[in-house]
Amino acid sequence: MLLPDPSFRHTWLIWAYSFMVPWALLFIARPDLRRPMLWASALTAPFGLTEPLFVPAYWNPPSLFNLAQRTGFDIESVIFCFAIGGLGVAAYRTLVPVQLRSMDNAAHTSPRHRWHLLALASPLLVFGSLLGLRWNPIYPGIAAMFAGTVATLICRPDLWRNALFGGIIFFALYSVFLLGLGSLWPGYIAIVWNLDALLPWQPLGLPMEELLFGFAFGTYWSGVYEHLTWHQSQLRQAPQDHRRQPYSKAHS
């Protein structure tokens, strides 16, 4: 795919790397989040190798060494998936004061968790089953993450805060990055995304599918660490002041 503006040549690379900026800041500032971030990023990075499913059906971005157009694969997608994985896990915990604790062994054998592995595998199963339909591949991807969220909450209803607030927070973060993309490179979205194959409603000029992706990704990945590693998040309690308070005149 040839674009009329040569300044678009490295836009996808710059945009993918831009997600690494908040990733790195969180990694440095929050040592307690480093393990979940690395864990999540290592899991999501390989999903960048699914890019041939989306090029050119969903979009067709100019890529480093023109790899996306020649092979369907590109380096930018791996960087992008690595970054959003860590951000998806950390965004909720950054703004909501929670702490993790291991679940006891009794919870592992609870009837609610009998479908633990199936719930974890549900996004892949849903994506694989829907991919055979004549849909644009972005829709099976979005549906798979929403299905994973529902399966997670059936198995782990205690993660509802992660799903709800994690979805909202990552949606807001992702929307800011999309708006920045449209502002810094006017016309890029209209040229690169296959808008004729997508929903006609484009809030603020952004593909509705990208906004749905941001929310679905946040709802699922904000709780996947606790689900897979048998941890439970709970709100941190503010430290109480145990010093003796002076008696008022009413008590004298």
Side-chain angles (χ1 to χ4, degrees):
M1 179 179 179
L2 297 176
L3 294 177
D5 190 339
S7 65
F8 289 162
R9 187 176 305 164
H10 298 111
T11 298
W12 178 207
L13 179 65
I14 297 170
W15 197 61
Y17 263 118
S18 69
F19 286 88
M20 289 300 302
V21 174
W23 191 100
L25 292 175
L26 283 176
F27 189 82
I28 294 171
R30 292 290 301 272
D32 58 311
L33 295 179
R34 290 174 184 172
R35 180 182 177 87
M37 288 180 67
L38 287 173
W39 178 93
S41 291
L43 280 182
T44 54
F47 285 104
L49 301 178
T50 65
E51 188 70 353
L53 297 174
F54 300 91
V55 175
Y58 177 61
W59 73 334
N60 199 357
S63 59
L64 197 62
F65 309 120
N66 209 30
L67 286 176
Q69 286 67 49
R70 291 194 290 113
T71 67
F73 297 97
D74 59 40
I75 298 171
E76 293 91 339
S77 294
V78 177
I79 298 170
F80 171 79
C81 289
F82 179 92
I84 65 172
L87 291 175
V89 164
Y92 166 71
R93 295 165 182 79
T94 302
L95 298 182
V96 180
V98 297
Q99 57 188 6
L100 294 180
R101 64 178 181 85
S102 298
M103 300 178 69
D104 54 41
N105 292 330
H108 293 212
T109 57
S110 169
R112 185 181 294 277
H113 300 302
R114 69 179 66 180
W115 308 113
H116 178 74
L117 295 179
L118 182 60
L120 289 171
S122 60
L124 294 177
L125 297 176
V126 170
F127 182 72
S129 62
L130 295 180
L131 198 58
L133 302 177
R134 294 191 175 184
W135 289 2
N136 192 291
I138 191 62
Y139 299 118
I142 294 170
M145 286 184 289
F146 277 129
T149 301
V150 172
T152 296
L153 295 180
I154 292 174
C155 189
R156 291 284 306 275
D158 60 292
L159 295 177
W160 71 268
R161 286 190 184 88
N162 297 57
L164 177 60
F165 295 108
I168 294 172
I169 293 169
F170 190 82
F171 168 81
L173 175 66
Y174 195 61
S175 297
V176 169
F177 274 85
L178 284 170
L179 290 171
L181 176 66
S183 298
L184 293 174
W185 292 278
Y188 182 83
I189 291 176
I191 293 175
V192 170
W193 268 262
N194 186 10
L195 297 180
D196 291 338
L198 305 180
L199 296 173
W201 187 33
Q202 297 163 19
L204 299 177
L206 306 178
M208 188 64 189
E209 289 77 4
E210 286 294 318
L211 300 177
L212 290 172
F213 168 82
F215 182 69
F217 187 89
T219 59
Y220 180 67
W221 281 98
S222 61
V224 71
Y225 180 79
E226 286 94 327
H227 193 194
L228 185 57
T229 61
W230 295 97
H231 279 81
Q232 192 168 25
S233 59
Q234 58 186 14
L235 295 176
R236 286 196 179 101
Q237 299 295 326
Q240 297 181 355
D241 188 354
H242 295 288
R243 292 175 298 178
R244 179 177 295 181
Q245 299 296 325
Y247 282 102
S248 65
K249 292 184 178 179
H251 291 89
S252 59

